[in-house]
Amino acid sequence: HIPKHLTGLTRSNLIYYVRFADDGLSVVGVQSMVPFLQHANNLTDLDLDDNNLESEGFNVLFRALRNSPIKRLTCNSCGIGSIEIDSDHIPKHLTGLTRSNLIYYVRFADDGLSVVGVQSMVPFLQHANNLTDLDLDDNNLESEGFNVLFRALRNSPIKRLTCNSCGIGSIEIDSDHIPKHLT
């Protein structure tokens, strides 16, 4: 049940970028976007920066994007403290089940992620087969969270990882956990 004013947008096959930054979106707002997101067949870039999605809203969003062609997702300053998604809701293009493993860029900067949040991201990171750019700036990862993150990225194609202002005092990673393409 897509609102009439959005049906033309989703069927036009022209929309590839949507930015709802700083629009006051919360869980309810994301839930209202689900029909649009499920029918936006060419949407490759979604920017939801500076909204109050929190973990619950992000999980609703992620389930809505399950069959989408999203390549770039930014959720900067959205209050996402953790990402708890079961494997049934990982988008098909992230699981390797389809030919198109598309997503290459994710930004979770300033979302309140801590070591617990990073631990909750591990299944997502392990299924993001084309994720080359991950931005986690301004989170409270600390050394323990960074070490969990680095181990989770061991078999990933990640090329750019930014963790500025994350409270990482030390990095303690043994050579068995260095991503293969970096050795």
Side-chain angles (χ1 to χ4, degrees):
H1 300 94
I2 299 172
K4 288 183 180 181
H5 65 280
L6 293 179
T7 56
L9 293 176
T10 59
R11 292 193 183 131
S12 72
N13 291 327
L14 296 176
I15 293 182
Y16 65 92
Y17 174 82
V18 172
R19 181 172 185 180
F20 291 121
D22 202 18
D23 278 327
L25 289 174
S26 64
V27 175
V28 173
V30 172
Q31 289 168 335
S32 71
M33 290 174 48
V34 167
F36 169 74
L37 294 171
Q38 290 175 333
H39 290 88
N41 298 329
N42 287 324
L43 183 64
T44 59
D45 197 329
L46 181 60
D47 181 343
L48 298 174
D49 287 352
D50 302 307
N51 283 290
N52 192 28
L53 304 182
E54 297 181 334
S55 298
E56 183 182 353
F58 179 77
N59 293 335
V60 169
L61 171 69
F62 205 75
R63 286 190 297 274
L65 296 174
R66 184 168 192 267
N67 295 313
S68 79
I70 287 290
K71 293 181 183 180
R72 191 171 193 275
L73 175 63
T74 60
C75 296
N76 184 43
S77 298
C78 288
I80 302 167
S82 66
I83 299 171
E84 299 172 12
I85 300 165
D86 61 49
S87 60
D88 292 340
H89 292 110
I90 293 175
K92 288 182 180 178
H93 65 277
L94 297 182
T95 63
L97 298 176
T98 65
R99 292 177 285 150
S100 58
N101 295 323
L102 300 175
I103 200 160
Y104 69 89
Y105 176 86
V106 176
R107 184 170 191 202
F108 293 124
D110 197 23
D111 273 318
L113 290 171
S114 64
V115 67
V116 174
V118 172
Q119 289 167 336
S120 72
M121 289 176 61
V122 169
F124 165 75
L125 295 171
Q126 291 174 336
H127 287 93
N129 297 331
N130 279 340
L131 183 64
T132 58
D133 195 336
L134 179 61
D135 182 343
L136 299 174
D137 287 349
D138 301 308
N139 283 290
N140 192 27
L141 304 183
E142 298 181 334
S143 299
E144 184 181 356
F146 180 78
N147 292 333
V148 168
L149 174 67
F150 206 77
R151 284 191 297 276
L153 296 173
R154 184 176 190 285
N155 294 316
S156 79
I158 202 84
K159 292 180 181 174
R160 184 175 175 268
L161 173 64
T162 58
C163 296
N164 296 315
S165 300
C166 287
I168 301 168
S170 65
I171 300 173
E172 300 171 16
I173 299 170
D174 60 42
S175 61
D176 292 340
H177 293 110
I178 297 173
K180 291 177 182 178
H181 66 281
L182 297 179
T183 57

